[in-house]
Amino acid sequence: MSYTALYRKYRPARFDDVIGQDHITETLRNQLKSGRVGHAYLFTGSRGTGKTTCAKIFARAVNCLSPQDGSPCGKCAVCKALADPSNIDILEIDAASNNRVDEVREIRERVKYPPVNGKYKVYIIDEVHMLTDSAFNALLKTLEEPPEFVIFILATTEVHKLPATILSRCMRFDFRLVSVDLLAQNIRRIFDAESKKYEESAVRYIAGAGEGSVRDSLSIADMCLSRAEGTLTLADALDVLGAADRGKIRALTDSILCGNAKQILLSIDELTNLGKSVSRIAKDVLGCARDLLAIKTGATSLVIDTPENMEKLNELAASAEPDALTAVIRTLSAVDAELRYSVSPKIVLETACLRAGKLADSDPDALRARIARLEKRIDELSASGVSAPQSAPTPVRQNAPVEQAPADTDGVWGKLITYFRKNGPMSIYSLLCNTHEVTVKDGVLTVYPQTDAEFLQFSDPETETQIMRAFGANNIALSFKAEKRDAGPDMDSEIDRIKKMLAGGKAKLNITR
């Protein structure tokens, strides 16, 4: 006999069996009990959260002759007839492969015919966002005013792609990601039904790897059933998921936290040579940094790992700074899209890890981590007996004038642009971004605008006030003014003058510009 996957074998047949979506199942059951059944529903949410499952349960429940607490009984003649795959009263349509206007026109023709077995004919259109614009337009009128015996249930993971005209005609239900506790409880129930022995840590890890999706968690659990003949251990689950060796991931994370560029490149090369995908390495490092941060902040219960690995993580967390871990997490989280579409993902990962290691980012967390690392290094040197050399103070003459270093024109202008980019107003930021001639002389920053309009903007008292405020915020001891460059002689006047001079000398000359 052919094997049935766990997520199909244990697909809920009643609303009571659906986990993590109580806000939806309760509403649907109350509608069935009160007879307030709508004609068009929209189920949206992440993959594997129960959209199609709830649609099928609802489709059977509205036709059931003796529903039990809003769920189909599964025993009446209609329930048995609808359970037959050949029934034509519940039609599940894949919009990804039937997205043309012709398929929708065919649906419009079918809705005219009444159901054969039950009271309602239910159309479940999965991945409805894949329909073309013309197909959506063809569906509009039928979706708004279908026959009284027809119900439409649209399911999608990308609701933002649906036209507003479709959304306004449907009763919308948003499915949520399922918590790790509920996923773990569901996996335990299935393992017990399959007579499979397991470690609690393995179940928790599988639930966490599901990332809120019931189907994903059961797919992983299905693989783990085949992996371990005896008791399912955490090591078995790690092996099934293809997670890189924990020790090598910790070593790479440690190299990043220490800023060891050479070891970062060597560790990534070693992991890729073992056959680990670049995206898997990035995800594992991200998870390791998150675990270290959880340990550092006292949330050790959130970390799921073997006792041996926990001991190593505690050692590494003792020397890690929370700001440094936050910077690593933020940097690596931002490269997911780059890794997905890059032609050289390994180089992208290496660059991201080096950037995280050097903390060459203007992020406040990164700067604080960098300062903490330097302070720690100073403490280590002081503990080793190394002290900074004492330099003799430079004698200062009484009443001697203090000489100020000449101001860096580009640096001052760059600080102004940075200040207004962060603090606004954007009108001044845009004005400063244009190319201008700028000089700093005798404690005055002078700008020479290229056009009269820019000169008027710089000459505005409010602009001058804002620029002086920026000087104060950056400790720049300068004043500001705007001047016009001498545009040179008026060429028309010069030509007239030369003509008059030549006419006085009785010479004939035709001068044009």
Side-chain angles (χ1 to χ4, degrees):
M1 296 178 62
S2 60
Y3 178 72
T4 303
L6 291 181
Y7 74 86
R8 292 180 58 195
K9 183 177 180 180
Y10 293 94
R11 181 189 289 272
R14 299 170 51 85
F15 284 125
D16 294 335
D17 300 330
V18 178
I19 63 172
Q21 310 299 340
D22 294 343
H23 62 294
I24 293 175
T25 56
E26 285 296 326
T27 304
L28 294 177
R29 281 195 288 198
N30 290 336
Q31 285 189 348
L32 290 166
K33 292 176 183 178
S34 61
R36 301 173 61 89
V37 177
H39 67 276
Y41 293 83
L42 174 63
F43 291 172
T44 177
S46 300
R47 67 186 189 279
T49 51
K51 299 183 296 296
T52 306
T53 297
C54 285
K56 291 181 176 180
I57 296 174
F58 186 76
R60 292 195 300 270
V62 294
N63 288 300
C64 181
L65 298 178
S66 56
Q68 299 177 356
D69 194 23
S71 295
C73 66
K75 300 176 182 179
C76 66
V78 174
C79 285
K80 292 180 179 179
L82 295 179
D84 189 346
S86 63
N87 83 89
I88 59 173
D89 287 349
I90 299 178
L91 299 176
E92 186 175 356
I93 302 168
D94 178 21
S97 55
N98 300 278
N99 57 0
R100 298 178 302 172
V101 67
D102 294 337
E103 279 84 3
V104 175
R105 286 173 180 164
E106 186 177 348
I107 294 175
R108 290 171 52 185
E109 293 299 322
R110 289 181 181 177
V111 298
K112 300 176 182 178
Y113 303 102
V116 176
N117 299 302
K119 182 180 178 181
Y120 292 97
K121 179 181 284 188
V122 183
Y123 287 86
I124 302 173
I125 306 179
D126 204 4
E127 301 298 334
V128 70
H129 64 273
M130 299 293 287
L131 291 179
T132 61
D133 292 340
S134 56
F136 275 126
N137 293 332
L139 183 64
L140 281 178
K141 193 61 178 176
T142 304
L143 189 66
E144 182 177 14
E145 296 180 0
E148 60 181 7
F149 50 80
V150 172
I151 297 175
F152 283 98
I153 302 179
L154 313 182
T156 179
T157 56
E158 301 183 42
V159 69
H160 58 277
K161 292 186 178 181
L162 268 63
T165 50
I166 294 290
L167 296 175
S168 64
R169 287 164 167 81
C170 298
M171 192 180 301
R172 175 171 171 172
F173 292 89
D174 289 87
F175 285 70
R176 304 167 182 167
L177 291 173
V178 183
S179 67
V180 174
D181 290 336
L182 288 176
L183 290 176
Q185 181 180 346
N186 188 48
I187 294 171
R188 289 190 208 100
R189 178 179 63 84
I190 293 175
F191 278 174
D192 291 339
E194 294 288 324
S195 300
K196 180 66 178 179
K197 297 181 179 179
Y198 53 86
E199 291 181 356
E200 180 61 27
S201 58
V203 171
R204 294 283 299 181
Y205 190 82
I206 294 171
E211 297 181 345
S213 170
V214 180
R215 184 171 60 240
D216 287 358
S217 65
L218 292 184
S219 295
I220 297 171
D222 212 342
M223 292 188 291
C224 292
L225 281 178
S226 304
R227 171 64 179 84
E229 296 181 359
T231 302
L232 177 65
T233 64
L234 178 60
D236 294 328
L238 293 173
D239 187 52
V240 166
L241 289 170
D245 180 76
R246 285 294 195 263
K248 292 181 173 60
I249 289 297
R250 282 196 306 272
L252 175 56
T253 308
D254 189 22
S255 300
I256 294 174
L257 294 174
C258 295
N260 191 334
K262 176 182 177 181
Q263 195 57 45
I264 289 173
L265 296 177
L266 291 176
S267 297
I268 294 176
D269 185 65
E270 181 183 5
L271 288 167
T272 54
N273 288 337
L274 291 174
K276 305 300 179 183
S277 67
V278 173
S279 59
R280 182 75 247 181
I281 296 172
K283 195 171 183 178
D284 285 346
V285 174
L286 201 58
C288 183
R290 176 262 186 190
D291 289 345
L292 292 173
L293 187 61
I295 294 173
K296 196 72 178 179
T297 55
T300 312
S301 59
L302 299 177
V303 183
I304 304 172
D305 217 325
T306 61
E308 296 79 8
N309 288 332
M310 284 298 298
E311 183 179 352
K312 299 293 184 181
L313 285 173
N314 286 324
E315 294 176 2
L316 184 55
S319 59
E321 295 295 331
D323 291 331
L325 293 170
T326 304
V328 171
I329 292 173
R330 186 170 297 175
T331 303
L332 291 182
S333 298
V335 299
D336 181 61
E338 292 184 66
L339 292 174
R340 189 176 305 172
Y341 300 109
S342 174
V343 294
S344 302
K346 182 180 177 182
I347 296 177
V348 172
L349 177 62
E350 290 173 342
T351 305
C353 291
L354 289 172
R355 187 167 64 249
K358 289 184 176 295
L359 298 175
D361 190 4
S362 59
D363 184 79
D365 293 333
L367 295 177
R368 284 194 293 267
R370 194 172 187 178
I371 293 172
R373 184 185 298 173
L374 293 174
E375 291 175 344
K376 182 179 179 181
R377 182 59 178 163
I378 292 173
D379 293 340
E380 291 175 353
L381 292 174
S382 299
S384 303
V386 179
S387 58
Q390 298 293 330
S391 56
T394 304
V396 180
R397 291 183 298 169
Q398 293 284 339
N399 301 325
V402 179
E403 296 184 1
Q404 295 183 353
D408 179 9
T409 305
D410 293 338
V412 171
W413 197 252
K415 289 180 179 179
L416 285 178
I417 292 176
T418 302
Y419 174 84
F420 286 107
R421 177 175 61 83
K422 294 181 178 179
N423 304 285
M426 296 307 294
S427 58
I428 298 180
Y429 170 70
S430 301
L431 183 64
L432 296 178
C433 287
N434 294 332
T435 304
H436 303 293
E437 183 181 353
V438 182
T439 61
V440 175
K441 186 177 181 181
D442 298 330
V444 180
L445 185 144
T446 307
V447 61
Y448 300 92
Q450 296 179 349
T451 65
D452 291 339
E454 291 177 346
F455 176 75
L456 291 175
Q457 285 181 277
F458 276 116
S459 302
D460 184 40
E462 177 62 24
T463 302
E464 184 176 354
T465 301
Q466 292 285 356
I467 291 177
M468 293 305 298
R469 185 176 299 168
F471 281 162
N474 289 277
N475 297 321
I476 299 174
L478 295 174
S479 57
F480 170 81
K481 69 177 181 177
E483 286 188 359
K484 280 188 175 181
R485 281 293 189 193
D486 187 6
D490 186 350
M491 294 304 298
D492 291 333
S493 301
E494 285 296 304
I495 291 173
D496 291 339
R497 186 180 64 80
I498 294 172
K499 283 182 177 181
K500 291 177 182 179
M501 182 181 66
L502 294 176
K506 298 181 180 180
K508 294 182 179 180
L509 182 63
N510 183 21
I511 300 177
T512 59
R513 292 193 67 180

